[in-house]
Every structure is written in structure tokens, then in C-alpha cells.
Amino acid sequence: MDSIWKRLLRLLLTMLIVSLAVFSFISFSSGDSSSSVLSEDASEEAVEAYRKAMGLDEPFAVRYLSFLSSFFSGNWGVASDGQDISFLVLSRIPATLSITILALLMSLAIALSLAFLSLRRHTIGRALTTAWAAVMMSSPVFLIAIALVLLLSFQLDLFPVAGYVPLSGGFVRSIRSVFLPSLSLALLHSSLIMLMMRAAVESNLSASYSMVARAFGKGFSRIAAIDASKPALPLLAILSGQSAAAFIGGSAAVETLFAIPGIGSLLVTAALRRDAALAGTLVMLIALSVSCISMAAEAVSALLDPRRER
Amino acid sequence: MRRRVAGLAMMILLLVFSVSFGGLGVVDTSLRLTPPSGTMPFGTDTLGRSLLERVAAGTGTSLFIGGIVAIASFALGILLALCCFIPGFPRRVAFIFADAVKAVPSIVLALFSASLSGPGILSLAVSLSLAHIADIFRTSYSRASAIMKEPYIDAARCAGVGRMRIFITHVLPPLLPYAAMQSVSSFLSAVIGEATLSFLGCGVPVPIPSLGSILSEARSVILSSPWMMFFPASFLLLLGIAINLIAFSLSDPDPASERT
Amino acid sequence: MRNKVLTAVLAAMVAAILLVSCGGDEDSGLLRVAVAQEPVSLDVMITSSVSGRNIAVGNVYERLFEMDGDTIRPVLATGYELSSSGCDLRIGIRSGVSFHDGTLLDPEDAAASLNRWLRSYKGASSITGDASFSVEGDGIVISSTSSLAMLPVMLASSPQAAVIYPGEAIASAADGMPVVDAPGTGPYRVEEWISGSSILLSAFDGYWGDKPSIDRISYEFVPDPVIRRLGLESGQYDFIDNVLSDDIPALEKVPGIELHQGDENGSIVLVFNKKEGISTDVFFRRAVSLLIDREELMRACYGSYGYSVRSAYMDGKDGIWSVNPDLDPYGMENREEGLALLQDSYDGTTVRILSSNLTDLDRIAVALSSELEQCGINTELIILDWASFMEQRGNPSSWDIYVSATGSVPLPLEKGYLFSDSPGGFDDPSSSSIIRALSTSESMEEAASLWQIAQIRLWEYVPVIVPGHYSTVYASRSISGIDLSDGFHFRDAVML
């Protein structure tokens, strides 16, 4: 494994390249933020004044470098609509964090319980869970989300239809407001985790040491639960890391549908409005958190399996 | 093996379906949102076009996009992985670029490629494949480098076997199944990714249908005209089942033969 | 083992019950409104988003005047005086009005605000030219070389609203950038704007006029129309905007829910490229106008409700600007005549139809393309996201017709497509001169009769085609007194 400094250097380089890529993609995409902020019939004068105020008339290199320097100095500047970028971004983090954590817990709960319940081959239960996994993996997340809203929110009135309540508005109310979006994401991701964990546990089950344990008289479910799953825990750590990383930047669809103010939908808005500075800031933060999560997942994975080569 | 055949058969059936019935559909808004009937077996969409034609064409579009992403990620991913063993190839740089590419949101890529060449299915497919190419590149490289450390590789080199032959006969074969499975799952993930891009407004250019864009259009009328969501969702599910059958068959080799 | 499982299941059930039973505390005195779009900015002076206007104008910020039917009613002004020549306008400013930050409104604030408005609003500056407002006593004045009689109407109802901010807020804003968090004079103040989530307004105690009966209003941004509807039906929202026409039959049957249709608030417009390409030929434009089925186009976007097919340019079927649509020689579908005209003017080139994918306008573009193809015209559809659309629209060699919507405006000369510097161009001296004369009319009646003449002339020149006008449909629970004249406002509303 690389030393910690090498990894940090790679992280920094990755962040720089991502921000350069996103900043240039957005800057060189057709259109700019004046069309979203100003009226459609705005005067030429007003458009030029806006472009000048936003610095859109400066050469690309100047804009990118000033973006980098303001990012690393902590003073993140102003978004295309005049709002403070740091305020915008920080205000969106709690919702994204709530969804990420809740979705991850739900994914693990669903995936692991279904994986263990369906270990026996050639039973109806197994066929059902495999079919369920196939359906989940073939559905776009907004489809799952709409089905959940119709069922759990509208028919059964268990959860609000949309909107985000921050923790300050009450813990229970807050959880209820992010329950359906998290569940939509969890149903999607848990299918993959379930399939992979089940395959891993099964391959361990048929390994020789399991046979030895069975020879010693331990029942089938105890073996499965304890012995066969321990070697699969590192894999679980990695899969959890990957899912958490996907939730952080990739939940734009559920956020838009459920009207949750998270990072994903802010990124989509920034891209559609051609706000390069806001998008660049967001991707750097997302890349940073994804890398941290991956590193944490790998560390946990290594800890859980002493056989792994360092 | 049976599963693979079943999966492939399904995909071929879907392809035949899309070619036989596919079309853009004739706009006739006086017929908008009519339920399934004799003349319109799947009903009509918000513009009065035959949903059967649109879903069939959409299946074809999704097959095309998925196919491009799967083939590109498979071929280029493995190619890049093998290139890393050529001396002088900037391997570390490639890694960092791969990590970076995965972090670029697909909407940014889609908007940019649409700006470059005008909105189009091919540019969309290309922008969707980048992240998957990076994925397959990374996993193929780690497997390939594990293989390169094996003693028989050294033996072959000492015996004077050329680098290319080593790649082709020793390194490539074990890489292929896993890469194939990954590219099959990126097929599905690209089709669904395009659906999400359509939801956000940056998917396949209007009026070309894709299963994702029809689903996205159907979203707002799901309560009043549920068939518009039912049919594309069913075909997307069929496509997903076909893909999963193929993927399962590739990933389920006898665990005992797996060399760790 | 079994006990463990059992306890786990019981614990989960208890947790679920707790989760479900807590919460649901309805906040009385709070009106919950679900809107489709979050406004980009509340600086309604330089942005013309309907969302921002609905939330801010009349609630947070106020204009000097307001339209009350067809009359102009003073709000922050005490009245206005037009000199006999019409070239000088004096507006008295109300005293004793406080901003939300406690400072008092004075004529300097009004002058600064209106001058900023003039600088950024083409429609107004086409009336005033280079003139600007200055303070005189307890009011403001503006003098121009031509009649300013049209200015008060514009002050009362322009889409880029002539609202009043404190002078300091304007001075401290960077030139060209939206003003953020400016205090207003209205009956509500912005208590909180949670980006991506909602804007909460609460009643302002120091308001100069009658306090509204509803204490707090929360505008929540819910882009998905199905979720908005479900939220209304389940009681989570009291009012939703932009009800889809396909939902109207079902909502009509739900007890306790009322549907409202606002005044016409805009029209669909197909703009021809009169600078370059095939659309520069007036015969081609007339042919297209005769060949399309306008009902089909409107239905493509609006379904069965919420619009009326009419080729007049101005909104308001019976308003002051209405012109008898039978006078439009090309306003009704007439295939034979259209195909005849087409024969002479069309040479087979591909007609490029440009549209954005915002708010289903692309459906109209698809329907238009299909109509034209059926008549033998080759079309190419270019549907882009908003920013790309705006950029492409500015490049005359890349499109022939674009599809857009224009909001309701107080004066015809505010229709952007009537000017030569618009993306589609405009080159018809006779109608230009009438429109110019309109801007310096000495009375509304004179302006209206000038417009009658102009509209008929424009129908011959066919710079654009207006298939129809739309009015937004809203739905609510028991609320009375909603003002639907310019969007929706709750200042006089009462929750039942």
C-alpha cells in the first residue's frame, strides 16, 4: 500500500484534475449563466454588465486560477445568482448527509437480511429475492421513488410527500422527511450488495473450513451467520464505501423529486445554469469526500481481514 | 450456460421487436393519452403518438446506447490496462485521470458533449462510457498486475517469449470474463443512467425515444394515464432481466477454480 | 436465537409506530404553497421569472402603482401628474412607509430604484429614452422629449417589476448583479430562504397599510407535478401552482379542493428568423401560418384546459388591446391557400426548428415539426437546455423558427419580438413607425387604437405566429380571496 503522503498527493491531483475538467466543460459548453439569471428580454447593456460583474469576459485561464485560489483560501466567492457559494453549499450538506447515512443503513439492513434469508439454493425464497434484485437493478431510481410515494405516502399516509425538515425541526420529523428518498436509493443499491454478499458467503460456505465446522456439528445457519461471513466482511466494507460515495454526489434525481435541498440537485442546477465556480467547488468537495470514504472503507476492510496483504 | 443463452435470446427478441415495430410515431394531439385499444395496442403518449412504436424504438435506442457503452468500456478498458505494462507509459497519470473521470458528473459530460457536436445519441453514449472505461481499466489492471507477478510469466520471459505473446496467451484470457461481466453491468447502468439524464432534461435528443425518455415524459401523467409508464417500464425490466441473466452466467464460475 | 429475532422484530415495530405517530403537527396561521420552480433571485427588478414575481411582488416588495382591473391604483405613490405635453411626469411618494429594516422610504430610494429599473428594462427605456428620474420635493420627476403617458401603466404592471428598494441596497450591489436580501416595504418580510427547499414569509408588523389576515406563507419548491398534486390531496399543501390539465378531471372530483384559473398570463409564440434563411421570405411565413393547426400545437403542450386559440399578440381576450381575430388573413388553417403559397416560396431546404426543453415547450416544437412535414416541408428539430437554447438563438445562421412563450405585458411595445435587435430581427418600417408612435401616445385610448392598426399590419408581415394564449391553473384547499390577476397573491386571502 502506498504511504499516506503518496495517497494525499494523489487525492490532491485528482481533485485538481476533476475541478479543471468540470470547470472547463461547463465554461466551454454553449451558453452562460446570464440566460438563467436575467430576464429573457433583458437589454444588451444589462447582459454585458452582468457578464462583466461575473468575470465571464475574462480569459479561461484567469478564471480557473482565480477559482482555485479562492477555493483553497476558503473564500469561495459568489454564485451566478449573487448568493454566497460557501453559504449555499454548507446549507445543503445536512440534507445530503442525512440521506447518505440513512440510505446506507437501510441498504445494509435490507441487503444482509435478504442475503442470509435466501442462502438456501433452489427455494422459492431465493428465486423471489433474485427476481427482486433484478427488478431493482433494472429500474431507474425515480420509478422506484414514485412507486414508494404512491404506496407509503399517499395511500398509507405514513410519510410526507416531499420537503425536507432539518434536525432542528425535530428528530422524528426530520427522519420522516428523508425516509422515502433514502429508501428509494437503498432499494436500488441493496440489490447489488445482496447479490455480491450472498455470492461471497456461498463461496465461503463451500470452502473446506466450513466443511470442517459442519463436521464438528454446528448447524447450518450458525455457520452461515458467523464463520462464512467473516471473510466476506472486507468486501462488505468496500461495497458500503462505494454505495456511500454514490449517494453523496449521485442523488440528484431523488432530491429533485422529493424537493430535498441536497448537494446532488445543487450540482445539477449549477450545470444547467453554467455556473462553473459553483460546480467546480461542489465536485472538489464530492471528490474529497468520496476519496475519504474510499480510504476509510479500505482501512476498515484491511482491519477486518488480517490475511490481506498490506 | 443455459442462463447465458436465455439472456441472449431475450436480447435478440427485444432487438427484433424494436426493429419490427419501432418508429417515431405520428403526432396527432387529438388522440393524446388514449388507453390501449385495438388500433393502438399500447395506447398513445402525450402527443398522440403510438406508444407501441415509441417503446419499440426506445428499446432499440437503449440497446444501442448500452451496446456502445459495453463495447467501449470492455475494449478500451482492457486496452488501457495492458498499455500500462508498456515501458514508458504514464501509468500513474492514467490512474489519476481514471479516478478524476469517475468523479465528473454525467450531466456535465452530457451537456459538454452536446455543446461540442450537437445533441445526439452517439455523443451521449460516449459521455456515458467514460466512467465505465475507467472502472474496467482499474479492475483489469489490478488483475493483470497480479497475473504478471506469477512465476510462469517470468519463466516465459526468460524463455524469450515476446511481450505481445505473453499478453495474448497468458494475461488476456483470465481478464476477459471479469471484464465482460463488468461491461455487461455497465450496459444496464448506461441505459438507466440515460433515463436519469432524461429525467433531468439532458438525455437523448427529442424526438428520438429511449425507454428512459418515455418514462420521464410519463412521470407527470402517471396518475391519469398509467399505461404510458407501464409499457416502457416493462420493457426496461425485460432488458434488465436479459442483462442480468448474461451477467450471472459470466460471474458464476465454480468458486473452487478461482485462483485468489 | 428465536428470542433474539422476536425482540428485534418487536423493537422495529415499536420504532415504526413512534416514527409514524409523532409529527404531523399542523401549524395554524401558516399557508403552505407548493410552487414548481425556485426563483433564481428575488431581485424582481432585473429578472422576469414568474416564480419570483408571485413570491415577492406585492408581498415583500411593492411597486409605486398597481393595476386594479383597467385602472392604475397608487401603492407606494400618492398619485401622478402628467404635464399637458405629456413629456414630464411627476410622482408623489407616500410618507410614513418603513422598509423591513426600519428605515423610512424617501424619494431618493424611489429615484434610485426606478433608474436601475430603467437601465435594465428595454421596454421602459424605449419610452423614456435617456431620461432618468430625479428627486423633487417629496416626489420624483422625469422629463423626456416625447410623451411619457405610457409610463404609469408600465410602472404598474411590467414583468420586470418597478419595485422600490432602499437606495443603499442599490448602491452596494455590484453593477449588473442581482441584489440579494434587499429589504422591501411590503406586508411580508422574508423570514428565511432555504436554498433548494423553501422561502418563508412572515407578516411585517411595521407595514404601512392593512395587515394581511394570513400570518405566514411558506413557498415550497416542488418541481414534480405529481408530487405537488399528491401533496395537495393529502393535505400537506394548501395551494399548488401549475396544475397539469390531465389532472384537472380527477381533482375536480375531490371534495374540499377548488380549482382556479388565473387571467391569461402569456402566449406561445413561433418566431421566424427574419435576418437569414428561408424565413426571411414573407410568403413562406404566410404559408406556414396557413398550414398549421393551432389547436393541435396548443393541445400538445396544454392538453384540454388552460388555453385559448387566438392569433392576437396581446393577452386578455376582452382587454383594452384585444383585436378581432377574424381580421387576421392568415390566422385560420387554410391548406389549399397555404400549399399554393408554399409552392412558390419553398425550395426544399431544411427548416430548423429550435426550442428549449423547459416547461414542455419542446412538445409544441415536435407537433410543429410534424405539421410541417405533413405539408412536405423538411424539418430539423433542435431541442436544447435553456442556456444552450439562448446561445443558439443569438446566432441567426443556426435556426429558422424558434418556439417560445412570452409572458403577459402591459404594453404591446414590450413584446420583444417587435424590435430589430431581437433574435429574430424585425424589418417592417410601417409597423415599426406605428409601434414607435404607440410608445409616445398621449393616452391609453390613443395607444389602443394605434395598436388595432399595428396588429392588422403585423398580421400581414407575420414576424411571428401566435397559436394561442395560456392561463395557469391552480388548485387549493379552503382559501378565499385569492387574487389571481397577476399570478397569485394572498394579501387579501383568508384561510377557512
Side-chain angles (χ1 to χ4, degrees):
Chain A
M1 285 287 114
D2 301 319
S3 75
I4 194 112
W5 293 115
K6 266 190 173 177
R7 300 193 111 195
L8 282 176
L9 184 62
R10 263 194 32 200
L11 172 62
L12 192 63
L13 279 175
T14 308
M15 280 171 65
L16 284 177
I17 295 183
V18 174
S19 67
L20 178 60
V22 170
F23 201 90
S24 49
F25 285 161
I26 291 190
S27 304
F28 293 120
S29 291
S30 57
D32 64 39
S33 49
S34 64
S35 50
S36 312
V37 174
L38 300 178
S39 138
E40 192 180 337
D41 294 317
S43 55
E44 277 290 315
E45 218 189 87
V47 173
E48 284 312 313
Y50 174 81
R51 286 201 176 123
K52 202 151 184 292
M54 287 296 298
L56 292 176
D57 50 352
E58 287 173 40
F60 174 78
V62 170
R63 290 172 49 208
Y64 180 65
L65 289 172
S66 77
F67 158 73
L68 271 188
S69 71
S70 54
F71 180 83
F72 286 111
S73 71
N75 173 13
W76 287 348
V78 146
S80 55
D81 56 359
Q83 291 196 63
D84 210 24
I85 289 186
S86 45
F87 177 70
L88 257 183
V89 171
L90 292 176
S91 66
R92 301 260 188 160
I93 288 183
T96 298
L97 265 182
S98 310
I99 292 186
T100 301
I101 295 176
L102 190 57
L104 189 60
L105 291 174
M106 286 176 170
S107 299
L108 292 178
I110 298 174
L112 292 176
S113 42
L114 284 181
F116 282 117
L117 286 175
S118 66
L119 275 175
R120 277 217 161 88
R121 284 182 181 251
H122 308 303
T123 57
I124 294 194
R126 187 188 176 88
L128 278 176
T129 46
T130 311
W132 167 86
V135 171
M136 285 298 127
M137 294 206 305
S138 319
S139 308
V141 70
F142 60 83
L143 211 54
I144 300 177
I146 291 182
L148 284 178
V149 169
L150 286 174
L151 196 61
L152 294 177
S153 180
F154 188 58
Q155 295 283 16
L156 298 180
D157 211 11
L158 288 172
F159 301 100
V161 144
Y164 173 64
V165 176
L167 281 174
S168 58
F171 180 73
V172 172
R173 282 185 69 199
S174 184
I175 298 285
R176 282 180 77 202
S177 68
V178 294
F179 194 87
L180 290 183
S182 310
L183 187 58
S184 314
L185 288 169
L187 284 175
L188 205 66
H189 284 251
S190 61
S191 52
L192 185 67
I193 299 181
M194 180 207 83
L195 289 173
M196 298 198 78
M197 285 305 290
R198 190 170 69 187
V201 171
E202 273 170 1
S203 73
N204 291 335
L205 274 179
S206 58
S208 43
Y209 59 86
S210 275
M211 283 200 271
V212 174
R214 285 240 288 283
F216 275 106
K218 292 185 181 173
F220 176 77
S221 41
R222 281 203 76 190
I223 296 177
I226 298 169
D227 296 323
S229 55
K230 276 204 206 122
L233 285 178
L235 176 63
L236 186 63
I238 300 278
L239 288 174
S240 306
Q242 279 178 1
S243 287
F247 295 152
I248 289 190
S251 41
V254 286
E255 288 174 23
T256 307
L257 202 65
F258 289 105
I260 308 271
I263 299 276
S265 54
L266 186 59
L267 188 51
V268 169
T269 307
L272 290 174
R273 283 193 197 156
R274 308 292 192 268
D275 192 334
L278 180 58
T281 308
L282 286 171
V283 283
M284 286 238 258
L285 291 175
I286 294 176
L288 179 61
S289 29
V290 166
S291 293
C292 291
I293 292 180
S294 301
M295 282 201 249
E298 280 181 36
V300 169
S301 174
L303 276 175
L304 287 174
D305 188 0
R307 285 184 311 161
R308 225 171 128 92
E309 290 183 52
R310 295 209 120 248
Chain B
M1 191 55 198
R2 231 179 358 177
R3 278 185 283 189
R4 197 178 310 176
V5 170
L8 280 172
M10 276 181 79
M11 299 225 2
I12 292 179
L13 279 174
L14 286 171
L15 191 58
V16 168
F17 169 70
S18 85
V19 167
S20 340
F21 294 101
L24 287 181
V26 173
V27 174
D28 183 1
T29 59
S30 58
L31 291 177
R32 69 191 291 275
L33 294 176
T34 51
S37 66
T39 43
M40 297 286 191
F42 285 10
T44 59
D45 70 356
T46 47
L47 282 173
R49 298 175 290 201
S50 158
L51 200 60
L52 171 59
E53 281 184 55
R54 304 266 313 163
V55 168
T59 307
T61 312
S62 299
L63 281 170
F64 180 75
I65 293 180
I68 299 258
V69 172
I71 295 174
S73 55
F74 182 78
L76 294 175
I78 293 190
L79 187 63
L80 278 173
L82 291 180
C83 284
C84 287
F85 296 104
I86 299 175
F89 188 79
R91 206 179 46 188
R92 294 242 154 77
V93 174
F95 290 162
I96 295 183
F97 265 91
D99 282 346
V101 156
K102 278 162 58 176
V104 175
S106 54
I107 186 174
V108 171
L109 276 172
L111 281 174
F112 180 66
S113 67
S115 302
L116 277 185
S117 57
I121 309 185
L122 196 55
S123 67
L124 185 65
V126 166
S127 57
L128 284 171
S129 20
L130 292 180
H132 298 286
I133 296 175
D135 264 333
I136 294 191
F137 161 50
R138 293 295 248 126
T139 48
S140 299
Y141 174 76
S142 73
R143 298 202 94 210
S145 64
I147 294 172
M148 289 293 276
K149 293 194 183 106
E150 296 280 346
Y152 61 84
I153 299 284
D154 279 339
R157 291 272 291 281
C158 290
V161 183
R163 194 183 293 274
M164 273 300 280
R165 279 201 68 189
I166 293 185
F167 281 169
I168 296 176
T169 50
H170 294 292
V171 179
L172 209 47
L175 282 186
L176 295 180
Y178 200 69
M181 190 194 81
Q182 267 190 294
S183 74
V184 161
S185 89
S186 34
F187 184 112
L188 194 56
S189 148
V191 171
I192 306 236
E194 188 277 319
T196 308
L197 279 179
S198 290
F199 176 87
L200 299 171
C202 307
V204 166
V206 179
I208 301 174
S210 72
L211 291 175
S213 66
I214 303 177
L215 279 173
S216 185
E217 265 177 56
R219 232 176 62 239
S220 45
V221 295
I222 186 177
L223 294 174
S224 51
S225 317
W227 61 88
M228 197 175 157
M229 190 158 257
F230 173 73
F231 289 107
S234 311
F235 276 85
L236 189 54
L237 184 59
L238 287 176
L239 190 57
I241 292 176
I243 295 291
N244 277 303
L245 284 174
I246 300 180
F248 282 156
S249 73
L250 288 171
S251 71
D252 223 1
D254 181 7
S257 74
E258 271 275 36
R259 249 195 297 223
T260 325
Chain C
M1 186 65 190
R2 261 215 310 223
N3 286 337
K4 280 196 210 163
V5 173
L6 219 61
T7 13
V9 170
L10 276 172
M13 280 172 59
V14 170
I17 293 174
L18 276 176
L19 210 61
V20 167
S21 58
C22 295
D25 46 351
E26 289 311 306
D27 209 334
S28 57
L30 172 69
L31 182 71
R32 297 186 69 174
V33 178
V35 293
Q37 263 184 29
E38 180 176 13
V40 175
S41 158
L42 284 183
D43 184 358
V44 288
M45 215 192 268
I46 68 171
T47 71
S48 63
S49 83
V50 177
S51 197
R53 266 209 309 288
N54 282 330
I55 296 176
V57 178
N59 288 337
V60 180
Y61 302 118
E62 293 179 302
R63 294 175 159 127
L64 291 177
F65 302 98
E66 238 175 40
M67 293 306 292
D68 186 4
D70 280 332
T71 43
I72 299 177
R73 189 160 57 117
V75 178
L76 288 182
T78 51
Y80 70 91
E81 275 161 34
L82 213 49
S83 68
S84 48
S85 65
C87 295
D88 312 283
L89 176 67
R90 187 176 193 285
I91 304 176
I93 303 296
R94 192 183 291 269
S95 58
V97 174
S98 316
F99 284 103
H100 298 147
D101 62 357
T103 57
L104 281 177
L105 168 71
D106 56 31
E108 279 79 21
D109 300 315
S113 302
L114 290 189
N115 285 333
R116 180 173 187 255
W117 177 72
L118 282 178
R119 275 199 307 276
S120 70
Y121 188 40
K122 225 166 46 176
S125 49
S126 66
I127 297 182
T128 58
D130 293 322
S132 57
F133 284 90
S134 49
V135 178
E136 193 189 85
D138 61 351
I140 53 177
V141 291
I142 182 169
S143 297
S144 165
T145 48
S146 50
S147 171
L148 295 171
M150 301 283 97
L151 195 55
V153 167
M154 210 174 262
L155 286 170
S157 57
S158 57
Q160 274 178 246
V163 292
I164 308 298
Y165 301 150
E168 302 78 45
I170 296 191
S172 61
D175 200 29
M177 290 290 289
V179 164
V180 178
D181 288 336
T185 58
Y188 293 99
R189 27 178 290 277
V190 177
E191 195 181 304
E192 202 177 15
W193 181 351
I194 307 175
S195 153
S197 178
S198 57
I199 291 181
L200 179 62
L201 301 183
S202 59
F204 172 48
D205 290 322
Y207 181 55
W208 60 270
D210 297 322
K211 272 201 80 172
S213 117
I214 297 178
D215 229 9
R216 289 154 77 218
I217 310 180
S218 167
Y219 293 89
E220 312 196 10
F221 316 127
V222 185
D224 192 88
V226 173
I227 302 275
R228 280 201 303 277
R229 171 185 157 177
L230 291 178
L232 180 72
E233 290 192 54
S234 69
Q236 192 175 332
Y237 304 124
D238 302 303
F239 183 96
I240 59 174
D241 86 349
N242 273 308
V243 175
L244 292 182
S245 69
D246 300 302
D247 286 334
I248 291 179
L251 280 177
E252 273 177 338
K253 300 200 188 96
V254 179
I257 290 188
E258 234 182 275
L259 289 164
H260 316 270
Q261 187 160 345
D263 289 348
E264 275 185 4
N265 47 1
S267 54
I268 300 296
V269 59
L270 312 174
V271 180
F272 286 105
N273 185 345
K274 300 169 286 299
K275 293 180 184 170
E276 272 181 53
I278 180 139
S279 301
T280 52
D281 181 356
V282 65
F283 296 109
F284 176 73
R285 301 200 294 270
R286 289 176 181 167
V288 171
S289 188
L290 289 170
L291 289 171
I292 58 172
D293 177 356
R294 287 164 170 76
E295 176 97 35
E296 173 99 355
L297 294 183
M298 294 304 283
R299 220 179 8 223
C301 183
Y302 294 104
S304 327
Y305 302 88
Y307 65 91
S308 79
V309 173
R310 207 167 74 248
S311 62
Y313 291 6
M314 288 296 281
D315 303 303
K317 226 185 284 204
D318 309 303
I320 186 175
W321 305 110
S322 62
V323 184
N324 184 356
D326 294 333
L327 297 172
D328 182 355
Y330 307 101
M332 285 295 298
E333 194 183 1
N334 186 335
R335 275 268 167 126
E336 304 143 26
E337 214 188 308
L339 285 172
L341 267 178
L342 196 62
Q343 273 223 326
D344 303 323
S345 57
Y346 181 56
D347 55 359
T349 50
T350 309
V351 175
R352 294 156 301 177
I353 302 178
L354 175 67
S355 173
S356 76
N357 53 21
L358 213 59
T359 62
D360 295 338
L361 282 176
D362 52 349
R363 290 195 199 157
I364 298 185
V366 175
L368 176 64
S369 148
S370 162
E371 295 264 296
L372 295 181
E373 293 267 348
Q374 279 169 30
C375 301
I377 301 178
N378 301 322
T379 60
E380 181 193 332
L381 266 177
I382 307 173
I383 314 261
L384 304 169
D385 74 294
W386 182 253
S388 304
F389 162 77
M390 289 290 282
E391 170 134 331
Q392 185 123 341
R393 195 182 73 158
N395 175 7
S397 50
S398 62
W399 60 275
D400 298 300
I401 307 178
Y402 79 80
V403 179
S404 187
T406 64
S408 179
V409 288
L411 299 170
L413 52 86
E414 293 187 64
K415 291 287 184 186
Y417 49 76
L418 297 175
F419 295 97
S420 56
D421 58 353
S422 67
F426 192 90
D427 186 18
D428 182 45
S430 59
S431 40
S432 289
S433 58
I434 305 177
I435 293 168
R436 260 200 307 278
L438 230 166
S439 67
T440 53
S441 295
E442 296 184 5
S443 70
M444 289 298 284
E445 291 74 32
E446 185 191 325
S449 51
L450 279 174
W451 175 246
Q452 294 276 325
I453 305 172
Q455 173 73 89
I456 295 175
R457 172 63 209 142
L458 286 166
W459 275 332
E460 302 263 345
Y461 174 56
V462 197
V464 303
I465 297 177
V466 172
H469 302 256
Y470 56 85
S471 34
T472 314
V473 177
Y474 313 102
S476 73
R477 306 198 139 261
S478 30
I479 309 173
S480 73
I482 307 176
D483 174 12
L484 294 167
S485 56
D486 177 23
F488 55 88
H489 297 279
F490 304 104
R491 217 173 45 193
D492 305 318
V494 175
M495 292 213 291
L496 301 168

